[in-house]
Amino acid sequence: MKRKLAAGNWKMNGTTASLAEVKSLVSGHAAPSVDILICPPATLIAQAAGICSKSPIMIGAQDCHAAPSGAHTGDLSAPMLADAGAGAVILGHSERRENHNETSDMVAQKAMAAHAAGLIAVVCLGESLAQREGAHTLDVIAEQLAGSLPDGATGANTVLAYEPIWAIGSGLTPTLAQIGEVHDFIRSLLGERFGAQAAQDFRLLYGGSVKPGNAAEIFATSNVDGALVGGASLKSSDFSPIIRALEA
Ligand code: PEP
């Protein structure tokens, strides 16, 4: 039985003072019935992982390089992140696709690097508002999914996050029917590629303006196995009720 997953993406937010939020999550969720992942900035991974060393909460990163080492100033490799205590890495977030020109092929290369280092790859997919309004959402999702997932992806080493770009940080969310349509579509595409049985093992997260107030209805939607949460993961007082909604 796959466990649901509540994942937090702190983005470029947080200093050592923010580790108090990790401590609060550790004490508030000693034996969660869902998996919990917090992805702070890379500067905090080692300390956050230390805080979580006796907790089921996993610490993750927000990106990695496709190579294990080398002349890539400013980059971090998957083995380095694993060495710092990360157990997962977010890949292909729309902010990286947009701000760093990351293509689906680059995301697939990074996912292979993550898998080789023993990290779970949290691969993000999502359409822009123009693509949604132009009725291209499913085409975009199909292209991103096909291009971003390496052949070695399994439900154990890979999580998918559907994050409509226009819903991220905007306070806007798709209708539950729209979320369900895309999640059902992703599950069917996984089935075509990996087989129906294996497709069921992948966790499909929804991301985009998930808050304590809308989490429960999103989690009740077809093929939603959890959430990737940005802004509302920064404070344990916001993230905890989202985790509890997933546990309900
Ligand atoms: C995100 O960027 O992954 C995200 C889902 O952000 P927010 O929850 O703030 O919309």
Side-chain angles (χ1 to χ4, degrees):
M1 187 65 181
K2 73 187 165 206
R3 275 166 63 99
K4 294 176 178 176
L5 172 63
N9 173 15
W10 283 13
K11 310 192 186 190
M12 198 174 70
N13 297 294
T15 59
T16 48
S18 318
L19 293 169
E21 302 298 330
V22 178
K23 288 179 188 154
S24 166
L25 289 168
V26 166
S27 58
H29 301 273
S33 61
V34 300
D35 288 344
I36 302 171
L37 170 68
I38 307 166
C39 299
T43 48
L44 298 178
I45 288 174
Q47 285 165 283
I51 292 166
C52 294
S53 63
K54 294 190 174 61
S55 158
I57 296 177
M58 181 182 279
I59 297 300
Q62 300 172 15
D63 179 47
C64 71
H65 197 279
S69 62
H72 302 289
T73 302
D75 282 320
L76 296 169
S77 73
M80 289 172 176
L81 297 169
D83 182 58
V89 58
I90 298 170
L91 296 174
H93 191 284
S94 58
E95 288 155 14
R96 297 217 49 100
R97 290 180 188 261
E98 280 182 14
N99 302 343
H100 298 269
N101 300 316
E102 287 192 7
T103 63
S104 291
D105 185 56
M106 291 162 72
V107 175
Q109 300 293 325
K110 291 179 179 207
M112 283 191 276
H115 294 160
L119 300 179
I120 295 170
V122 181
V123 175
C124 303
L125 319 164
E127 82 285 2
S128 66
L129 187 57
Q131 288 165 335
R132 160 113 357 226
E133 289 177 345
H136 300 306
T137 297
L138 298 186
D139 291 340
V140 170
I141 296 299
E143 183 278 323
Q144 290 181 347
L145 187 72
S148 305
L149 279 195
D151 287 336
T154 68
N157 66 21
T158 304
V159 172
L160 277 309
Y162 168 54
E163 299 207 308
I165 297 169
W166 52 275
I168 293 176
S170 64
L172 301 172
T173 50
T175 65
L176 299 178
Q178 287 171 328
I179 294 173
E181 179 190 35
V182 175
H183 280 238
D184 289 351
F185 182 61
I186 293 172
R187 187 79 71 199
S188 74
L189 291 175
L190 291 171
E192 285 169 19
R193 180 156 168 196
F194 298 103
Q197 194 68 40
Q200 291 302 324
D201 295 341
F202 286 85
R203 282 154 326 161
L204 310 187
L205 311 185
Y206 167 76
S209 296
V210 176
K211 310 275 181 233
N214 62 13
E217 60 179 14
I218 291 172
F219 295 150
T221 303
S222 174
N223 274 312
V224 174
D225 303 312
L228 180 54
V229 183
S233 72
L234 293 173
K235 294 278 173 223
S236 58
S237 55
D238 290 326
F239 198 37
S240 271
I242 293 173
I243 295 167
R244 295 199 198 291
L246 189 60
E247 289 180 306

